[in-house]
Amino acid sequence: MDTHWLSAAEIARLVATGKASAAAMVEAALARITEHDPILNSFTAVLADRARKRAQAVDIAQAKGRSIGPLAGVPFAVKNLFDITGIATLAGSKINRSCPPSIRDAVLIERLEAAGAVLVGALNMGEYAYDFTGENVHDGPSRNPHDVNRMTGGSSGGSGAAVAGGLVPVALGSDTNGSIRVPSSLCGIFGLKPTYGRLPRSRTFPFVASLDHVGPFARTARDLALVYDAMQGHDPEDGACADRPVEPTLPLLERGVEGLRIAVADGYFRKGAFPEARVAIDRVAAALHVNRDIEIPEAHRARAAAYVITATEGAGLHLGRLRSSASDFDPAVRDRLIAGAMVPATLVNKAQKFRRWYRERVLDLFTELDVILAPATPCTAPLIGQQTFLLDGVDLPVRANLGLYTQPISFIGLPVVAVPVALDPLPIAVQIITAPWGEDVALRVAHALETTGVAVAPRPAI
Amino acid sequence: MALARKTKISTKAAARRGTASKAKGQSKTALKSSKTKSGPRKAGKTPSPVSNRIKADPLDDLIEAAGAAFGLSIKPEWGSAVRANLHVIFGQAALFAEFELPDDAEPAPVFKA
């Protein structure tokens, strides 16, 4: 059986019905990792022993007729900023390699394993998540399965490569300014950045507390919903986690898009877009019969405020390490963090005030809209090592600007599903943006686009 | 680089409007102090990230002073990248710092007692 392009839902169904064992599914994933990860460089730790034990436990439970959960036997991996019992949480850094091993898994790993999934490893990422490229000076770049000379996008670059390359059907990542949506776009897979506070970040290495989100990657919208539903629920260990009831999205997935009020973000979100980004958004808009454009007010200032909050909160987090171990940082990260340490608090306070103002203006839009469409990235995957690209006639750094269209959205914590459009030769994604707590709507739209063939995670040639 | 160029312009423009004035205000001080500090470096003193050349940027003194205040040892070869990043940050900050909000506008907190 060719298992490596099976969805999580298909694997769980095979295991639940006894047509395949969890052990076989995990062995297939481990074999695929062994075969392809030397090139893709998506894993920083492969937990074969742990995974085999866990799979065996699932198979024993299944044989005894016990409940094995909706994700039984589904292999998954996590960005290496999630705590994993027994290993240090690297967060893409050299410095954290000297940290003691974690004594407990991140809460989202616990929840996925409670649903029957099997953790197989930790994934490469940009250092301390301050990255949009997927490059890492310590571990090497994660490589795009559609062209291994190209970026995966970051900072959850390993997550993008592992799912797009068929090594695992599901991965977890984090998204402060776009770190789920950018790799989803460049690698051509589905990604969900939930509402700020929806999924607990407990026992993950932080970056910018005001903006940090965690969420899943998958190759289908259904898998996103399946995994997201298994991870929902309040956790008091994360102070920003909302105390809301679980709101399952999977039962709503087939409701379609009939009656949804949808518009395309104009202005800022068109400016600078490469032709491929425009083609993708036009294709999605046409499939949804959308002929309305809308301006998200002051999006450029929102992006700027997110930029400053990120630099300063990130600097605050790392100030001690900048004092003691500055030479051990990735220089590109270190120099941005040092600069962030020197920004006056007055500007940060103004950025947070602007955030509140902007949030209210954008929420006003959702009184007459259900969904806003916007590009996820301005272009398809740049070459690894590429420093600049031409945006709206201006040569700008790739590293800081791949998240141009994601930052104004995560700035106010709106839920987004990134849906891949399989352009030739490289895919690119479109953001399906909804009002807070509207993950079900975004997933419905993503599923509808997938059903019509407009959104699809293309299978790479590897 | 174009972004840096753009940033400088917007920082200066913001300074004219009274925003990011701290950075601009420090420029004159920086230039003055660079003249007084341009003599030979004292033996045993930590090299400044910017003292091995003529200070020509308003942010150089901020980097030197803040680096010392925060206990950061900024190597000379890092200085230009730190300065470039500060220019970008202040350029971005000018975009929202100039945006008028009412006095009773509150930040967007998440902490709940």
Side-chain angles (χ1 to χ4, degrees):
Chain A
M1 189 191 304
D2 178 13
T3 58
H4 68 261
W5 205 250
L6 290 176
S7 70
E10 288 165 335
I11 291 171
R13 188 163 48 247
L14 287 171
V15 172
T17 56
K19 291 178 180 163
S21 67
M25 295 296 104
V26 166
E27 287 302 333
L30 293 173
R32 182 92 174 145
I33 293 165
T34 302
E35 184 181 358
H36 292 288
D37 207 53
I39 291 172
L40 295 181
N41 198 33
S42 59
F43 279 79
T44 53
V46 179
L47 307 168
D49 290 346
R50 170 182 166 144
R52 288 184 175 118
K53 283 179 190 163
R54 174 74 196 146
Q56 189 180 26
V58 172
D59 287 335
I60 290 170
Q62 202 273 347
K64 291 184 175 176
R66 295 187 195 138
S67 170
I68 52 173
L71 292 168
V74 173
F76 75 102
V78 297
K79 187 175 185 175
N80 71 25
L81 56 65
F82 285 78
D83 284 0
I84 297 173
T85 303
I87 63 174
T89 305
L90 302 184
S93 70
K94 174 184 176 186
I95 293 167
N96 284 26
R97 278 156 222 248
S98 58
C99 291
S102 299
I103 56 171
R104 187 176 171 186
D105 292 338
V107 68
L108 293 189
I109 295 175
E110 290 181 345
R111 289 180 180 179
L112 288 182
E113 291 208 322
V118 180
L119 180 69
V120 297
L123 297 163
N124 199 356
M125 59 176 282
E127 187 180 69
Y128 290 129
Y130 206 172
D131 167 59
F132 281 133
T133 65
E135 297 176 350
N136 183 300
V137 295
H138 314 298
D139 292 309
S142 49
R143 293 181 177 276
N144 195 313
H146 297 284
D147 179 346
V148 295
N149 295 311
R150 292 186 180 273
M151 293 176 182
T152 53
S155 62
S156 311
S159 307
V163 173
L167 309 192
V168 285
V170 170
L172 299 185
S174 66
D175 187 319
T176 303
N177 284 296
S179 289
I180 288 174
R181 293 160 288 160
V182 170
S184 295
S185 184
L186 302 194
C187 292
I189 55 177
F190 292 81
L192 168 62
K193 186 208 75 64
T195 309
Y196 180 78
R198 180 39 125 165
L199 294 181
R201 306 166 299 184
S202 316
R203 301 189 291 283
T204 63
F205 196 87
F207 176 26
V208 179
S210 294
L211 303 173
D212 287 345
H213 307 67
V214 285
F217 296 82
R219 295 191 295 266
T220 69
R222 180 177 297 280
D223 278 2
L224 279 188
L226 187 62
V227 171
Y228 169 67
D229 285 356
M231 295 193 294
Q232 285 190 51
H234 179 244
D235 184 59
E237 197 177 322
D238 177 357
C241 187
D243 192 1
R244 289 175 67 90
V246 173
E247 296 166 305
T249 58
L250 198 59
L252 309 175
L253 203 61
E254 305 279 356
R255 284 196 175 179
V257 296
E258 191 70 32
L260 291 179
R261 301 163 298 172
I262 306 175
V264 176
D266 202 0
Y268 174 88
F269 293 91
R270 291 258 186 203
K271 196 178 171 192
F274 283 45
E276 57 262 35
R278 291 170 182 260
V279 167
I281 196 96
D282 290 347
R283 200 177 281 186
V284 166
L288 296 169
H289 308 293
V290 176
N291 48 25
R292 180 179 177 187
D293 289 347
I294 195 157
E295 181 98 20
I296 297 180
E298 308 296 348
H300 68 300
R301 298 189 209 278
R303 191 261 176 149
Y307 194 100
V308 171
I309 290 170
T310 299
T312 53
E313 278 195 31
L317 174 69
H318 290 292
L319 195 57
R321 281 175 281 272
L322 289 170
R323 286 187 184 122
S324 65
S325 318
S327 295
D328 290 334
F329 278 82
D330 174 343
V333 173
R334 178 198 61 218
D335 297 339
R336 281 204 285 178
L337 290 174
I338 290 174
M342 299 172 178
V343 176
T346 46
L347 291 175
V348 184
N349 185 251
K350 181 68 185 276
Q352 287 286 10
K353 285 183 176 179
F354 178 79
R355 186 185 186 196
R356 181 74 163 265
W357 177 92
Y358 173 72
R359 171 185 172 273
E360 286 167 14
R361 299 292 89 71
V362 177
L363 291 188
D364 282 347
L365 298 178
F366 284 109
T367 59
E368 46 183 88
L369 281 175
D370 300 302
V371 175
I372 298 174
L373 307 174
T377 50
C379 58
T380 54
L383 290 166
I384 289 171
Q386 184 176 329
Q387 296 297 310
T388 62
F389 54 10
L390 205 62
L391 280 182
D392 205 27
V394 183
D395 209 26
L396 294 173
V398 170
R399 191 181 183 98
N401 288 286
L402 272 172
L404 197 64
Y405 300 138
T406 51
Q407 284 184 276
I409 310 303
S410 39
F411 180 51
I412 49 171
L414 301 179
V416 184
V417 174
V419 298
V421 177
L423 301 183
D424 187 25
L426 291 167
I428 190 168
V430 169
Q431 296 185 86
I432 313 291
I433 306 159
T434 66
W437 321 112
E439 284 85 351
D440 59 322
V441 176
L443 287 164
R444 271 168 58 195
V445 174
H447 180 67
L449 288 166
E450 196 178 7
T451 305
T452 58
V454 172
V456 62
R459 188 169 179 166
I462 63 165
Chain B
M1 193 173 294
L3 181 60
R5 213 165 46 235
K6 209 174 165 186
T7 300
K8 275 186 185 175
I9 291 164
S10 54
T11 306
K12 285 177 182 171
R16 280 197 299 275
R17 288 189 294 269
T19 54
S21 56
K22 199 164 183 178
K24 181 69 179 176
Q26 282 163 343
S27 72
K28 289 176 184 170
T29 314
L31 290 169
K32 278 180 191 169
S33 60
S34 71
K35 287 176 187 168
T36 59
K37 289 182 184 172
S38 59
R41 195 183 301 138
K42 287 178 185 172
K45 201 174 177 185
T46 307
S48 156
V50 290
S51 62
N52 57 347
R53 54 171 179 69
I54 297 170
K55 289 177 185 171
D57 192 287
L59 295 179
D60 286 348
D61 273 0
L62 172 63
I63 294 168
E64 196 165 329
F70 294 146
L72 297 171
S73 299
I74 306 171
K75 291 185 180 175
E77 59 268 31
W78 303 350
S80 61
V82 172
R83 185 171 60 251
N85 277 295
L86 262 177
H87 271 297
V88 174
I89 292 171
F90 281 128
Q92 292 288 311
L95 291 176
F96 61 81
E98 71 188 5
F99 190 75
E100 283 195 27
L101 292 172
D103 286 338
D104 61 356
E106 290 193 5
V110 294
F111 176 78
K112 290 172 190 162

